[in-house]
Amino acid sequence: MTEATRVLVLNAGSSSVKYQLIDMVDGERLAAGLVEKIGERTGRLVHTPHGAPSREAVQTFPDHSSALKAVAEELAEDGHGLDSPELAAVGHRVVHGGKRFTAPTVITEEVLTEIRRLVPVAPLHNPANITGIEVARSLRPDLPQVAVFDTAFHTTVPEHAARYAIDQKTADQHRVRRYGFHGTSHQYVSRATARLLGKDPAEVNVIVLHLGNGASASAVAGGVCVDTSMGLTPLEGLVMGTRSGDLDPGVIFHLHRVGGLSIDEIDDLLNRRSGLLGLCGDNDMREIIRRKEAGDQDAALAFDAYVHRLRKYLGGYYAVLGRVDAIAFTAGVGENAAPVRAAATAGLEELGIVVDPELNSVRSSSARFISPEHARVAVAVVPTDEELEIAQQAFALVREG
Ligand code: ADP
């Protein structure tokens, strides 16, 4: 009998679907791809089979169902159709799992109902994730569908860190609390950092800095998340590509009452037109560093504001953890932007944090230290791999079952 060792990982966004087919025997990517601009006149599918050139299709994908069917056809063309007996599960990235989902979960009707109940706290993300689940299920009803939640790793954050200091009756009524996001990445990277140190995750305290277009920090004590920078929504915390991160909530009242902006306009401002983009007109850190080096003042301000916020979280989480064994930089900016890593850690020798400029300038796709040997706090660059983590969690769950 053919053994089912493969997991299809689906990450359905509001107008896109990203996917990877991973063989769990050796972690090999058999295929990866992306459908974008779903619902627009001209959509695009890019499918990359393992070891072969990408295939691109430009056509209309009216909805997620047509997009996923096209993905299934591409996979079938490489001999990896959804009907393959080698497929063990589909692993779905689900953004919001609320307080209830603390671990990966096989999707039943009841689970799907609960994910739907969370739509009001994740209106931009959960509906697309639900559609992805429904379509995948209709294409292969007998296959286990597993939800891996972005919030799950943060469900261990203690109440005093998760609660906002507001009237608790009101908070509970509307499920207002800090949930945190990027959990799959924080979990993967904190474990990979322990591995890099040659230690068990239970033995080490790690600060993880996930710096992508969205960005978040987490404090992980002995493998358990004890604080994270994103909150009820992914808007809180660090300065991001287009999100403001922390700000005085009074800014919102002011913009509404005095500035005359509607709530939707303020939502759009803070989520899509703020952060690095708002500060200097660019949200790509490469471009910001290039402009800063050419003497551009706006780009320098954006860079400095980004780094300043990062340092505040670094210091804050140092105090939360008490002892820090490692700091891990990950995601697009964290893995690639040496100047950000250098600036975020500069002048912190008293805390045992030192970055070696030569190690920091090495370009590599492997996990590596950038602190000198024997430094009190290991500083590392640890590439994240959310898809592999989702596949591993989904596979472990269906094998147990
Ligand atoms: P997300 O998954 O959140 O969309 P990524 O983790 O892919 O984002 O990170 C994207 C960001 O990484 C880009 O906006 C860009 O600013 C940054 N980035 C990628 N490569 C580099 C680089 N070489 N130097 C600086 N920043 C980079």
Side-chain angles (χ1 to χ4, degrees):
M1 202 184 111
T2 315
E3 232 197 304
T5 57
R6 297 175 177 170
V7 177
L8 176 65
V9 177
L10 285 184
N11 180 355
S14 57
S15 65
S16 71
V17 176
K18 290 188 206 142
Y19 62 94
Q20 285 194 10
L21 179 66
I22 305 180
D23 196 318
M24 302 318 294
V25 173
D26 49 10
E28 188 170 297
R29 315 291 144 129
L30 300 169
L34 160 76
V35 188
E36 52 188 5
K37 304 202 172 161
I38 298 170
E40 291 182 32
R41 200 176 320 149
T42 321
R44 194 166 77 111
L45 187 158
V46 182
H47 176 84
T48 311
H50 178 69
S54 299
R55 302 196 290 269
E56 189 178 325
V58 176
Q59 64 183 82
T60 309
F61 299 101
D63 50 28
H64 283 73
S65 177
S66 61
L68 276 180
K69 278 185 190 136
V71 169
E73 278 165 27
E74 291 294 338
L75 288 167
E77 206 174 312
D78 305 330
H80 303 314
L82 282 191
D83 54 355
S84 160
E86 284 159 297
L87 202 54
V90 181
H92 295 267
R93 174 186 181 219
V94 178
V95 168
H96 218 306
K99 269 178 81 172
R100 149 129 186 231
F101 294 111
T102 58
T105 305
V106 173
I107 300 164
T108 59
E109 234 6 272
E110 194 264 326
V111 168
L112 200 52
T113 303
E114 186 59 24
I115 298 173
R116 282 197 195 100
R117 278 204 335 126
L118 289 162
V119 166
V121 282
L124 299 178
H125 296 103
N126 274 27
N129 303 154
I130 292 165
T131 309
I133 292 167
E134 286 171 339
V135 175
R137 212 165 49 158
S138 72
L139 291 175
R140 189 64 207 276
D142 60 311
L143 201 63
Q145 311 278 330
V146 178
V148 178
F149 299 92
D150 252 27
T151 45
F153 186 57
H154 304 307
T155 51
T156 50
V157 170
E159 286 296 284
H160 59 259
R163 289 275 175 180
Y164 293 109
I166 62 171
D167 171 63
Q168 291 301 286
K169 251 188 24 221
T170 310
D172 287 342
Q173 190 184 351
H174 300 289
R175 291 202 260 194
V176 172
R177 59 183 281 118
R178 306 184 59 251
Y179 294 99
F181 298 90
H182 292 145
T184 312
S185 176
H186 286 283
Q187 184 170 16
Y188 177 87
V189 170
S190 57
R191 282 211 208 111
T193 307
R195 241 190 339 267
L196 191 65
L197 286 165
K199 297 210 166 135
D200 193 277
E203 294 173 62
V204 293
N205 290 351
V206 186
I207 297 174
V208 178
L209 303 170
H210 175 110
L211 312 177
N213 221 338
S216 62
S218 69
V220 183
V224 175
C225 185
V226 294
D227 205 354
T228 192
S229 60
M230 283 176 166
L232 171 74
T233 75
L235 184 55
E236 191 177 346
L238 300 174
V239 174
M240 313 185 206
T242 65
R243 296 187 200 124
S244 62
D246 295 338
L247 86 172
D248 176 356
V251 170
I252 297 169
F253 312 138
H254 178 80
L255 289 174
H256 182 60
R257 293 189 188 124
V258 181
L261 273 72
S262 71
I263 293 297
D264 284 344
E265 284 168 340
I266 299 171
D267 188 331
D268 181 64
L269 173 79
L270 298 181
N271 275 297
R272 292 185 199 86
R273 294 189 286 122
S274 296
L276 294 170
L277 183 71
L279 284 162
C280 76
D282 264 311
N283 63 336
D284 189 320
M285 189 53 84
R286 282 167 288 210
E287 186 59 15
I288 291 167
I289 292 171
R290 193 197 60 72
R291 280 173 54 189
K292 174 176 161 341
E293 284 169 358
D296 183 317
Q297 292 300 310
D298 293 343
L301 173 68
F303 182 90
D304 292 347
Y306 184 94
V307 167
H308 181 69
R309 185 81 54 84
L310 201 50
R311 290 170 66 89
K312 290 213 302 198
Y313 272 91
L314 200 56
Y317 287 171
Y318 206 120
V320 166
L321 290 168
R323 186 200 82 223
V324 176
D325 301 299
I327 296 166
F329 285 91
T330 195
V333 175
E335 291 168 31
N336 298 297
V340 170
R341 298 192 297 254
T345 51
L348 300 180
E349 295 81 3
E350 287 289 324
L351 297 177
I353 300 171
V354 180
V355 162
D356 177 322
E358 227 168 277
L359 294 176
N360 191 30
S361 64
V362 170
R363 299 199 65 84
S364 158
S365 56
S366 313
R368 61 201 182 272
F369 292 115
I370 56 171
S371 49
E373 224 177 316
H374 308 304
R376 187 143 53 91
V377 178
V379 185
V381 178
V382 180
T384 192
D385 196 337
E386 288 163 281
E387 289 77 14
L388 182 61
E389 180 69 31
I390 290 172
Q392 281 170 341
Q393 293 192 13
F395 191 58
L397 189 64
V398 298
R399 264 222 305 214
E400 272 169 27

